[in-house]
Amino acid sequence: MRLSSFFIALGAAGTLAAPVEQQPLPGSVRHHAGPHKVADPYTPDNRNPYDKKVDAQGDKLHPLPWRNGDGADMLGPRNRDRERQNPDLVRPPSTDHGNMPNMRWSFADSHIRIEEGGWTRQTTVRELPTSKELAGVNMRLDEGVIRELHWHKEAEWAYVLEGKVRITALDTEGGSFVDDLEKGDLWYFPSGHPHSLQGLSPNGTEFLLIFDDGNFSEDSTFLLTDWVARTPKAVLAENFRVAPEVFRAIPEKEKYIFQGSNPESIEKEIPSESPGYKKSKLQFTHKMLAQEPLNTTGGQVRITDSTNFPLSKTVAAAHLNIQPGALREMHWHPNADEWSFFIKGRARVTIFAAEGTARTFDYQAGDVGIVPRNMGHFIENLSDEEDVEVLEIFRADKFQDFSLFQWMGETPRRLVKEHLFATDKKSGEKFVKAIESAEKDPIRDVLGQDDDDKEEL
């Protein structure tokens, strides 16, 4: 029996009090099952000794701070939508303990800068103080809209969420790079490398930008128009060897994001006949979703780091599809903090910080999660119907993690049993049998276990 079977069996062993049922609010009906009633776990009579997940948002339940008979209801003002999004803050699992800073932020709470044909919003250490190693920017460009020529002190890594985008870049040897990207593609610009972005899709494009410093600010970018506007026209004339009058109509301030004309094909746009033009030897882009995935028992994993995207020296990432009911296994990362961006679905994450400290957070599409390096955690899909799609991003050249399952399977059986099952030898034997394969399974299926396996425990 696999480890996942063991934990499912433990959960099945608990007996609940007679359920108190509530009629789900309108819109909460499961499409595959038709109308149904949901057992309300947020009552004084409910017993949930194994801290089973609750999809409060999916089932339109109203979380209340009742847990195994303790707690009380709420009398004051309430933000019920927020409570449904964060049920494990309203009623934390009994295993949560200690003081841990906030590890969750939603881009919905970030200030949006609105520009001509686009917008941008960010999550940095100012919005989320635990976001120390990386900062994220969510940006949208309409068709033809340009994120003007610029560069940063920080390296820039990006994932295309929707639509198509054209990028340009210049390397330190004067080599030029131009490429068109679509959903699931990446780009990486090392620190100081000048570049630009332009939306190509009729419906626009949207992407996630990652910078390798949590203190990054999108407003501190080095912009072409800003620099030219802050340089005496006489100096511009000397630099470019033209008359000063040429610069009479240049912008008086930065353009940042602005409507441009629709570009032609790359072949027509590249000034290949120019005597100063040469093609870059660097590959600034990568097709992440086109990678052959690692198929696990509960989903798919794609990892992109410097081993398959050599230019990306400071950012590594994994793209995960966690199937309904499945679990991104218990693990930790030894080389960097994890900066997660949730693209789809709803998930529960418990972070273990040592010293008896653990805290549980709930995430959904548009949320950012932080897990400091070496802190143990998992990602559990709360839904039995919808995948969780998430990016795990790191300030590192390579993706690294340790699997708790693999560690236990590779450790002498005697040590494992004496640590965890010294007073229950029968359960100890069943546990070591479950982990005897010692195979790492990053996303593990925890649904559809045999009833016979459950009965064994």
Side-chain angles (χ1 to χ4, degrees), residues 388-399:
V388 164
E389 183 181 358
V390 60
L391 287 167
E392 296 180 352
I393 307 171
F394 308 88
R395 192 177 71 186
D397 64 334
K398 292 183 180 179
F399 175 92

PDB file of all heavy atoms in Angstrom, residues 388-399:
ATOM      1  N   VAL A 388      -5.239  22.357 -10.036  1.00  0.00           N
ATOM      2  CA  VAL A 388      -4.485  23.518  -9.576  1.00  0.00           C
ATOM      3  C   VAL A 388      -3.301  23.671 -10.523  1.00  0.00           C
ATOM      4  O   VAL A 388      -2.545  22.723 -10.749  1.00  0.00           O
ATOM      5  CB  VAL A 388      -3.980  23.352  -8.129  1.00  0.00           C
ATOM      6  CG1 VAL A 388      -2.890  24.376  -7.811  1.00  0.00           C
ATOM      7  CG2 VAL A 388      -5.122  23.490  -7.143  1.00  0.00           C
ATOM      8  N   GLU A 389      -3.165  24.856 -11.104  1.00  0.00           N
ATOM      9  CA  GLU A 389      -2.015  25.172 -11.951  1.00  0.00           C
ATOM     10  C   GLU A 389      -1.202  26.232 -11.224  1.00  0.00           C
ATOM     11  O   GLU A 389      -1.717  27.287 -10.867  1.00  0.00           O
ATOM     12  CB  GLU A 389      -2.469  25.684 -13.314  1.00  0.00           C
ATOM     13  CG  GLU A 389      -1.318  25.963 -14.274  1.00  0.00           C
ATOM     14  CD  GLU A 389      -1.787  26.487 -15.624  1.00  0.00           C
ATOM     15  OE1 GLU A 389      -3.013  26.606 -15.825  1.00  0.00           O
ATOM     16  OE2 GLU A 389      -0.916  26.797 -16.466  1.00  0.00           O
ATOM     17  N   VAL A 390       0.078  25.939 -11.002  1.00  0.00           N
ATOM     18  CA  VAL A 390       0.894  26.837 -10.194  1.00  0.00           C
ATOM     19  C   VAL A 390       2.332  26.837 -10.708  1.00  0.00           C
ATOM     20  O   VAL A 390       2.842  25.822 -11.192  1.00  0.00           O
ATOM     21  CB  VAL A 390       0.841  26.413  -8.702  1.00  0.00           C
ATOM     22  CG1 VAL A 390       1.349  24.996  -8.492  1.00  0.00           C
ATOM     23  CG2 VAL A 390       1.607  27.387  -7.819  1.00  0.00           C
ATOM     24  N   LEU A 391       2.958  28.005 -10.604  1.00  0.00           N
ATOM     25  CA  LEU A 391       4.385  28.141 -10.876  1.00  0.00           C
ATOM     26  C   LEU A 391       5.130  28.229  -9.558  1.00  0.00           C
ATOM     27  O   LEU A 391       4.782  29.048  -8.698  1.00  0.00           O
ATOM     28  CB  LEU A 391       4.670  29.409 -11.689  1.00  0.00           C
ATOM     29  CG  LEU A 391       4.270  29.405 -13.159  1.00  0.00           C
ATOM     30  CD1 LEU A 391       4.327  30.828 -13.711  1.00  0.00           C
ATOM     31  CD2 LEU A 391       5.170  28.492 -13.965  1.00  0.00           C
ATOM     32  N   GLU A 392       6.136  27.380  -9.372  1.00  0.00           N
ATOM     33  CA  GLU A 392       7.073  27.494  -8.258  1.00  0.00           C
ATOM     34  C   GLU A 392       8.332  28.155  -8.808  1.00  0.00           C
ATOM     35  O   GLU A 392       8.978  27.616  -9.715  1.00  0.00           O
ATOM     36  CB  GLU A 392       7.422  26.124  -7.674  1.00  0.00           C
ATOM     37  CG  GLU A 392       6.265  25.384  -7.052  1.00  0.00           C
ATOM     38  CD  GLU A 392       6.696  24.026  -6.486  1.00  0.00           C
ATOM     39  OE1 GLU A 392       7.851  23.611  -6.722  1.00  0.00           O
ATOM     40  OE2 GLU A 392       5.878  23.382  -5.816  1.00  0.00           O
ATOM     41  N   ILE A 393       8.715  29.313  -8.261  1.00  0.00           N
ATOM     42  CA  ILE A 393       9.806  30.110  -8.822  1.00  0.00           C
ATOM     43  C   ILE A 393      10.843  30.371  -7.731  1.00  0.00           C
ATOM     44  O   ILE A 393      10.498  30.613  -6.568  1.00  0.00           O
ATOM     45  CB  ILE A 393       9.259  31.424  -9.397  1.00  0.00           C
ATOM     46  CG1 ILE A 393       8.106  31.132 -10.371  1.00  0.00           C
ATOM     47  CG2 ILE A 393      10.361  32.203 -10.115  1.00  0.00           C
ATOM     48  CD1 ILE A 393       7.350  32.364 -10.822  1.00  0.00           C
ATOM     49  N   PHE A 394      12.130  30.346  -8.122  1.00  0.00           N
ATOM     50  CA  PHE A 394      13.228  30.421  -7.155  1.00  0.00           C
ATOM     51  C   PHE A 394      14.338  31.339  -7.674  1.00  0.00           C
ATOM     52  O   PHE A 394      14.610  31.361  -8.874  1.00  0.00           O
ATOM     53  CB  PHE A 394      13.821  29.030  -6.905  1.00  0.00           C
ATOM     54  CG  PHE A 394      12.793  28.004  -6.539  1.00  0.00           C
ATOM     55  CD1 PHE A 394      12.134  27.287  -7.532  1.00  0.00           C
ATOM     56  CD2 PHE A 394      12.464  27.755  -5.218  1.00  0.00           C
ATOM     57  CE1 PHE A 394      11.180  26.336  -7.210  1.00  0.00           C
ATOM     58  CE2 PHE A 394      11.499  26.818  -4.888  1.00  0.00           C
ATOM     59  CZ  PHE A 394      10.853  26.111  -5.885  1.00  0.00           C
ATOM     60  N   ARG A 395      14.975  32.058  -6.768  1.00  0.00           N
ATOM     61  CA  ARG A 395      16.179  32.796  -7.135  1.00  0.00           C
ATOM     62  C   ARG A 395      17.365  31.831  -7.027  1.00  0.00           C
ATOM     63  O   ARG A 395      18.054  31.755  -6.013  1.00  0.00           O
ATOM     64  CB  ARG A 395      16.382  34.013  -6.234  1.00  0.00           C
ATOM     65  CG  ARG A 395      17.465  34.967  -6.761  1.00  0.00           C
ATOM     66  CD  ARG A 395      17.607  36.201  -5.918  1.00  0.00           C
ATOM     67  NE  ARG A 395      18.205  35.922  -4.615  1.00  0.00           N
ATOM     68  CZ  ARG A 395      18.345  36.806  -3.636  1.00  0.00           C
ATOM     69  NH1 ARG A 395      17.893  38.038  -3.818  1.00  0.00           N
ATOM     70  NH2 ARG A 395      18.890  36.487  -2.488  1.00  0.00           N
ATOM     71  N   ALA A 396      17.568  31.093  -8.086  1.00  0.00           N
ATOM     72  CA  ALA A 396      18.586  30.045  -8.114  1.00  0.00           C
ATOM     73  C   ALA A 396      18.871  29.675  -9.557  1.00  0.00           C
ATOM     74  O   ALA A 396      18.051  29.917 -10.446  1.00  0.00           O
ATOM     75  CB  ALA A 396      18.118  28.813  -7.338  1.00  0.00           C
ATOM     76  N   ASP A 397      20.020  29.057  -9.790  1.00  0.00           N
ATOM     77  CA  ASP A 397      20.316  28.618 -11.152  1.00  0.00           C
ATOM     78  C   ASP A 397      19.733  27.249 -11.441  1.00  0.00           C
ATOM     79  O   ASP A 397      19.513  26.897 -12.601  1.00  0.00           O
ATOM     80  CB  ASP A 397      21.823  28.622 -11.414  1.00  0.00           C
ATOM     81  CG  ASP A 397      22.572  27.621 -10.548  1.00  0.00           C
ATOM     82  OD1 ASP A 397      22.081  27.288  -9.445  1.00  0.00           O
ATOM     83  OD2 ASP A 397      23.646  27.165 -10.965  1.00  0.00           O
ATOM     84  N   LYS A 398      19.455  26.466 -10.374  1.00  0.00           N
ATOM     85  CA  LYS A 398      18.894  25.135 -10.566  1.00  0.00           C
ATOM     86  C   LYS A 398      17.756  24.881  -9.585  1.00  0.00           C
ATOM     87  O   LYS A 398      17.762  25.361  -8.450  1.00  0.00           O
ATOM     88  CB  LYS A 398      19.980  24.061 -10.390  1.00  0.00           C
ATOM     89  CG  LYS A 398      21.029  24.081 -11.482  1.00  0.00           C
ATOM     90  CD  LYS A 398      22.039  22.956 -11.297  1.00  0.00           C
ATOM     91  CE  LYS A 398      23.090  22.982 -12.406  1.00  0.00           C
ATOM     92  NZ  LYS A 398      24.099  21.917 -12.239  1.00  0.00           N
ATOM     93  N   PHE A 399      16.771  24.103 -10.045  1.00  0.00           N
ATOM     94  CA  PHE A 399      15.663  23.683  -9.201  1.00  0.00           C
ATOM     95  C   PHE A 399      16.135  22.536  -8.309  1.00  0.00           C
ATOM     96  O   PHE A 399      16.700  21.556  -8.793  1.00  0.00           O
ATOM     97  CB  PHE A 399      14.498  23.214 -10.073  1.00  0.00           C
ATOM     98  CG  PHE A 399      13.339  22.655  -9.297  1.00  0.00           C
ATOM     99  CD1 PHE A 399      12.293  23.462  -8.912  1.00  0.00           C
ATOM    100  CD2 PHE A 399      13.296  21.312  -8.953  1.00  0.00           C
ATOM    101  CE1 PHE A 399      11.215  22.944  -8.198  1.00  0.00           C
ATOM    102  CE2 PHE A 399      12.233  20.783  -8.242  1.00  0.00           C
ATOM    103  CZ  PHE A 399      11.195  21.610  -7.860  1.00  0.00           C
TER     104      PHE A 399
END
